[in-house]
């Protein structure tokens, strides 16, 4: 085997040497007037045409289309040609726009004389002349062969000042004739969609459908919002929007989400999509950004979750468990949520404001005397917290909002993109709005109220955000789920109408257009938990080779998470916890909670004992109904993560822990 590989390596080396010499001859014959450096670069690009790439040569630059994407290459020996290269890139971008291609599809590359480091100049990627061919050839595969041909043919017609060159060993350059046939736009789109589905799930999660391109490029006069049911590509649009804005602004872009695992994954995706601008986009969870911002401003933050919990426990002991609140809900958790999401989450500091506030997504009605009891509990908690000299998570956001609101307290961000906005508190949304105000293209809010996994809620008008006209866009085409998978998920929330952050009442079952039809739902019911777990392990082992990389096992609780991590470890099945997942493919089952899976997609999703929490029957109280609704929302999120396979496991016997 080793000798065969060595022989093949030598054969490839000879072939490359022959192609390089042939390319140099062609360039000398065709571009004899060009400088030595430009001819060497052009020869490298010409070699790529023997490996599935197409080359269109103009004056001072070249357009290269291949499996790695569309590149506009300039050989300028420095930054002096940057303006011309960017103009050529914009022209090429406009030419491919009619194909429905993403703005990140066209990448400008400046080649410097001599061997230079891989660097960047704004949106331009800078390479040394001796490495350009190697680097472009090593790009991740983004286009199939038929897409390369169709795009290159289209560019030859759209850019008549460029000629198509291909490597012809032993002969002069060959001109690609223009195609006289009708361009199959729909065929190209379908080929790109099918190619993305076959790719690793991480690549699929950055696929932008042509119908979404207009939203990415749109020029908005103020704050904008993109909403839509699960699977409609909201996060993908947001990522491409971040790349688009990074190319067209001088300031930095802040991309924020609530979950602390998503920024790492989304940063990886953007670096793959648009490496030239990835360093200009900051991916952060809201609380980590706020803490760092306060630290930079010299504002002390003493965040301590354990001491905050102790403060609340003591407050509940003295002002909660013997109060009238226990008649509504005897557990302290509901009332801690009331403080976190309704009082502090909304930034309320006076009882009269709390007495009058509409408690969005809170099902238990509270009259004035009951709210007075909640307020007394809140004040006692605050006193206990201050005694310990600590802050909670809500305090961090309130401190940051106060700092940003000071005169001269602005930040260097040209734009802020907020993903999963429905999971933020009102104070969090006000903070992000304050960073950019109502500037054109400044604030983009992305999310779906049906996928809320935390209690409480708000309206955008409460945050002083006015979304008008076409600045509010709703996506209605599901690119992820098949009808079988989507129907199974919608059955869970069909009776749960909700009010989104724009204030519109929305039914639980929403109509969407589907583009995918091959997904499957597998339901497994066993008499015991042990038999259920054996079926689960067997189903995971039966997946094809390499399928674990696109597979997730999701759980409703930390207890279940620990149980299934131990189960898979005993079975010898590799696991990657979602807390450690960074968006790079890894051949292991992704393991995490329903909430941790937000914003992610997987080819195969396994939900063991998915219906265990609903086995207790109809909730008897308003607060119990609210918790049950929240559990259904989390389960809905977990089910809609699946693209090809949704495995639903149940235990038919008596409920077991």
């Amino acid at each position: 085997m080793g000798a065969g590989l060595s022989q093949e390596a030598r054969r490839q080396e000879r072939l490359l040497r022959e192609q390089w010499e042939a390319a140099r001859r062609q360039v000398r014959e065709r571009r004899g007037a060009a400088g030595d450096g430009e001819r060497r670069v052009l020869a490298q690009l010409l070699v790529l045409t023997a490996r599935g790439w197409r080359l269109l040569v103009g004056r001072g630059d070249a357009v290269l289309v291949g499996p790695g994407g569309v590149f506009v290459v300039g050989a300028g020996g420095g930054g002096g040609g940057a303006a011309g290269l960017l103009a050529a890139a914009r022209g090429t971008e406009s030419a491919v726009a009619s194909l429905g291609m993403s703005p990140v599809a066209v990448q400008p590359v400046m080649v410097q004389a001599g061997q230079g480091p891989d660097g960047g100049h704004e949106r331009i990627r800078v390479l040394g002349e001796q490495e350009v061919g190697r680097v472009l050839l090593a790009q991740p595969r983004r286009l199939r062969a038929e897409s390369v041909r169709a795009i290159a043919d289209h560019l030859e017609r759209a850019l008549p000042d460029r000629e198509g060159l291909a490597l012809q060993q032993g002969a002069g350059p060959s001109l690609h004739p223009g195609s006289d046939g009708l361009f199959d736009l729909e065929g190209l789109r379908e080929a790109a969609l099918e190619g993305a589905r076959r790719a690793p799930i991480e690549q699929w999660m950055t696929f932008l459908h042509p119908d979404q391109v207009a939203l990415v490029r749109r020029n908005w006069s103020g704050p904008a919002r993109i909403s839509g049911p699960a699977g409609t590509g909201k996060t993908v649009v947001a990522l491409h929007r971040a790349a688009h804005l990074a190319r067209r602004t001088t300031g930095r872009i802040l991309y924020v989400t609530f979950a602390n695992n998503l920024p790492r994954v989304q940063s990886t995706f953007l670096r793959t999509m648009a490496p030239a601008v990835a360093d200009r986009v900051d991916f952060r969870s809201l609380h980590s950004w706020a803490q760092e911002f306060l630290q930079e401003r010299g504002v002390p933050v003493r965040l301590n979750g354990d001491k905050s919990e102790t403060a609340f426990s003591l407050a509940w002991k003295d002002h909660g468990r013997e109060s009238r609140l226990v008649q509504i809900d005897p557990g302290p958790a509901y009332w801690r949520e009331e403080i976190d999401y309704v009082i502090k989450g909304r930034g309320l500091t006076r009882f009269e404001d709390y007495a009058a506030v509409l408690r969005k997504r809170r099902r238990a009605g509270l009259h004035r005397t009951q709210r007075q009891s909640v307020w007394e509990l809140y004040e006692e908690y605050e006193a206990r917290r201050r005694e310990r000299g600590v802050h909670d998570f809500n305090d961090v956001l309130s401190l940051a909002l106060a700092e940003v609101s000071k005169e001269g307290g602005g930040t260097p961000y040209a734009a802020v993109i907020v993903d999963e906005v429905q999971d933020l508190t009102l104070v969090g949304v006000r903070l992000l709005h304050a960073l950019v105000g109502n500037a054109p293209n400044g604030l983009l809010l992305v999310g779906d109220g049906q996928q809320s996994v935390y209690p409480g809620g708000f309206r955008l008008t409460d945050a002083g955000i006015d979304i008008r006209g076409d600045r509010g866009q709703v996506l209605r085409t599901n690119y992820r789920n098949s009808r079988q998978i989507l129907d199974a998920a919608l059955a869970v929330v069909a009776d749960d109408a909700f009010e989104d952050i724009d204030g519109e009442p929305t039914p639980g079952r929403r109509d969407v257009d589907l583009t995918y039809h091959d997904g499957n739902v597998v339901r497994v019911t066993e008499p015991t938990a042990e038999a259920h777990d054996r079926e689960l392990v067997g189903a995971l082992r039966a997946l094809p080779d390499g399928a674990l990389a696109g597979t997730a096992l999701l759980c409703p609780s930390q207890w279940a998470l620990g149980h299934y991590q131990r189960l898979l470890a005993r079975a010898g099945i590799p696991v990657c916890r979602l807390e450690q997942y960074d968006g790079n493919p890894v051949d292991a089952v992704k393991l995490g909670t329903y909430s941790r899976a937000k914003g992610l997609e997987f080819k195969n999703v396994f939900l063991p004992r998915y219906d265990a929490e609903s086995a207790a029957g109809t909730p008897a109280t308003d607060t119990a109904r609210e918790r049950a609704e929240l559990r259904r929302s989390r389960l809905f999120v977990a089910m809609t993560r699946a693209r090809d396979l949704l495995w639903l496991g149940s235990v038919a016997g008596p409920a077991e822990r």
Side-chain angles (χ1 to χ4, degrees):
M1 177 71 72
L5 289 174
S6 178
Q7 184 177 8
E8 175 61 21
R10 288 193 297 271
R11 190 185 73 81
Q12 288 294 330
E13 183 179 353
R14 287 195 303 271
L15 180 60
L16 274 171
R17 190 180 297 114
E18 293 171 0
Q19 291 171 344
W20 171 244
E21 291 301 327
R24 292 176 65 185
R25 286 196 303 271
Q26 288 184 220
V27 170
R28 281 196 302 269
E29 294 171 3
R30 192 73 181 186
R31 298 274 164 170
D36 289 342
E38 184 178 343
R39 289 201 300 268
R40 286 194 298 269
V41 171
L42 190 54
Q44 288 194 63
L45 303 184
L46 199 54
V47 168
L48 296 184
T49 65
R51 284 167 163 72
W53 293 71
R54 291 275 294 275
L55 178 62
L56 306 176
V57 180
R59 293 182 178 179
D61 62 65
V63 177
L64 195 66
V65 185
V70 181
F71 300 86
V72 181
V73 183
L85 180 59
L86 287 174
R90 287 192 292 270
T92 304
E93 188 176 287
S94 297
V96 301
S98 62
L99 305 183
M101 294 186 68
S102 164
V104 304
V106 178
Q107 302 181 47
V109 176
M110 178 66 76
V111 182
Q112 293 180 327
Q115 178 72 35
D118 184 350
H121 171 73
E122 294 184 352
R123 65 170 288 200
I124 299 175
R125 189 172 185 181
V126 180
L127 299 173
E129 69 172 50
Q130 296 178 28
E131 64 180 343
V132 58
R134 168 176 54 81
V135 170
L136 295 183
L137 192 60
Q139 292 297 301
R141 181 183 177 90
R142 292 185 174 92
L143 299 175
R144 297 175 65 194
E146 55 265 40
S147 298
V148 171
R149 289 194 298 270
I151 293 168
D153 287 346
H154 175 72
L155 287 177
E156 281 194 317
R157 293 191 297 272
L159 306 174
D161 57 333
R162 287 174 171 81
E163 62 177 355
L165 300 182
L167 181 64
Q168 295 291 323
Q169 297 193 43
S174 170
L175 299 181
H176 281 296
S179 173
D180 293 330
L182 292 175
F183 181 68
D184 184 10
L185 176 60
E186 190 61 34
L188 174 62
R189 291 178 175 178
E190 289 304 313
L193 183 61
E194 184 57 33
R197 287 189 178 120
R198 287 200 298 267
I201 191 67
E202 289 81 7
Q203 185 173 327
W204 161 258
M205 282 189 279
T206 65
F207 175 77
L208 185 71
H209 194 275
D211 294 343
Q212 300 168 329
V213 171
L215 289 182
V216 173
R217 298 175 181 270
R218 183 159 295 181
N219 187 37
W220 279 305
S221 60
R225 178 166 183 249
I226 295 176
S227 62
T232 52
K234 296 180 294 296
T235 294
V236 175
V237 170
L239 283 169
H240 285 261
R241 177 71 173 177
H244 176 72
L245 292 177
R247 288 179 161 185
R248 284 159 175 76
T249 59
T250 56
R252 301 191 64 77
I253 311 299
L254 178 62
Y255 191 111
V256 174
T257 190
F258 181 81
N260 57 18
N261 64 309
L262 278 181
R264 186 172 57 250
V265 175
Q266 292 162 334
S267 176
T268 298
F269 289 168
L270 188 73
R271 196 163 295 280
T272 300
M273 290 162 42
V277 299
D279 290 337
R280 297 192 47 234
V281 182
D282 296 334
F283 289 89
R284 303 297 301 272
S285 68
L286 178 57
H287 285 95
S288 70
W289 178 85
Q291 289 180 69
E292 185 175 304
F293 170 73
L294 290 169
Q295 184 178 16
E296 291 172 350
R297 296 299 179 97
V299 179
V301 177
R302 298 176 296 275
L303 184 64
N304 190 306
D306 291 339
K307 289 185 178 181
S308 296
E309 279 298 324
T310 299
F312 180 79
S313 296
L314 293 173
W316 176 255
K317 176 176 175 291
D318 293 342
H319 283 76
R321 66 183 185 185
E322 302 298 331
S323 72
R324 60 175 61 90
L325 298 181
V326 297
Q327 300 170 4
I328 301 170
D329 193 294
Y334 186 85
W335 304 110
R336 179 62 194 267
E337 290 172 350
E338 184 76 8
I339 291 173
D340 282 343
Y341 292 95
V342 180
I343 297 178
K344 299 192 73 170
R346 285 178 164 267
L348 305 179
T349 57
R350 300 186 318 125
F351 170 69
E352 291 303 323
D353 294 332
Y354 174 57
V357 74
L358 291 174
R359 300 163 58 252
K360 295 294 179 184
R361 294 181 67 92
R362 302 292 270 175
R363 299 303 187 198
L366 299 179
H367 53 65
R368 186 179 178 88
T369 57
Q370 293 165 332
R371 295 196 188 202
Q372 183 68 55
S373 295
V374 176
W375 194 259
E376 291 171 0
L377 176 64
Y378 156 69
E379 289 185 320
E380 181 66 17
Y381 163 64
E382 287 291 278
R384 300 274 188 171
R385 179 186 60 76
R386 285 192 290 266
E387 283 175 8
R388 286 156 179 77
V390 298
H391 296 119
D392 61 22
F393 284 105
N394 282 296
D395 295 323
V396 173
L397 301 187
S398 294
L399 288 169
L401 175 58
E403 188 67 22
V404 171
S405 300
K406 290 180 180 177
E407 186 175 354
T411 62
Y413 293 109
V416 174
I417 297 174
V418 187
D419 201 4
E420 305 290 354
V421 63
Q422 74 278 354
D423 290 336
L424 271 56
T425 62
L426 181 60
V427 170
V429 174
R430 283 175 175 158
L431 168 60
L432 295 169
H433 182 213
L435 293 180
V436 289
N438 295 321
N441 300 314
L443 181 66
L444 176 62
L445 305 173
V446 181
D448 173 34
Q450 190 171 37
Q451 298 179 68
S452 296
V453 296
Y454 299 102
F458 59 89
R459 290 179 177 176
L460 287 178
T461 52
D462 299 332
I465 299 174
D466 185 12
I467 305 294
R468 295 186 178 184
D470 69 350
R471 288 192 278 121
Q473 294 287 323
V474 182
L475 302 179
R476 304 186 187 279
T477 301
N478 184 310
Y479 300 102
R480 180 198 307 154
N481 309 123
S482 68
R483 172 59 64 188
Q484 300 95 310
I485 291 174
L486 189 59
D487 281 348
L490 286 173
V492 173
V493 295
D495 297 329
D496 295 333
F498 66 96
E499 183 180 294
D500 214 335
I501 60 176
D502 56 7
E504 287 294 322
T506 308
R509 183 179 288 276
R510 292 181 282 176
D511 292 330
V512 296
D513 297 324
L514 298 177
T515 64
Y516 191 48
H517 307 286
D518 295 334
N520 191 28
V521 178
V522 173
R523 299 179 184 269
V524 173
T525 303
E526 294 295 329
T528 66
E530 292 76 11
H532 166 279
D533 288 353
R534 284 195 298 272
E535 285 293 317
L536 171 65
V537 170
L540 288 169
R541 285 174 169 164
L543 291 174
D545 290 343
L548 293 184
T551 298
L553 191 155
L554 305 178
C555 306
S557 66
Q558 289 295 328
W559 179 90
L561 200 63
H563 169 76
Y564 287 107
Q565 182 161 11
R566 292 188 294 271
L567 177 71
L568 297 189
R570 289 194 300 269
I573 297 175
V575 166
C576 173
R577 290 286 292 262
L578 286 182
E579 295 93 321
Q580 280 78 50
Y581 176 55
D582 64 0
N584 288 302
V586 55
D587 192 20
V589 174
K590 312 304 183 300
L591 182 66
T593 61
Y594 293 172
S595 298
R596 187 74 70 174
K598 291 203 71 173
L600 300 175
E601 303 178 16
F602 307 95
K603 292 183 178 180
N604 312 302
V605 169
F606 287 74
L607 303 182
R609 304 194 64 182
Y610 79 103
D611 56 352
E613 291 185 325
S614 62
T618 303
T621 66
D622 288 338
T623 58
R625 281 191 286 274
E626 182 182 323
R627 283 191 289 269
E629 182 178 333
L630 203 56
R631 285 197 298 269
R632 289 192 295 271
S633 181
R634 291 169 179 158
L635 176 58
F636 173 77
V637 167
M639 295 172 77
T640 54
R641 301 308 94 192
R643 199 191 77 186
D644 298 337
L645 169 67
L646 175 61
W647 190 94
L648 301 174
S650 301
V651 175
E656 305 171 40
R657 187 182 175 188

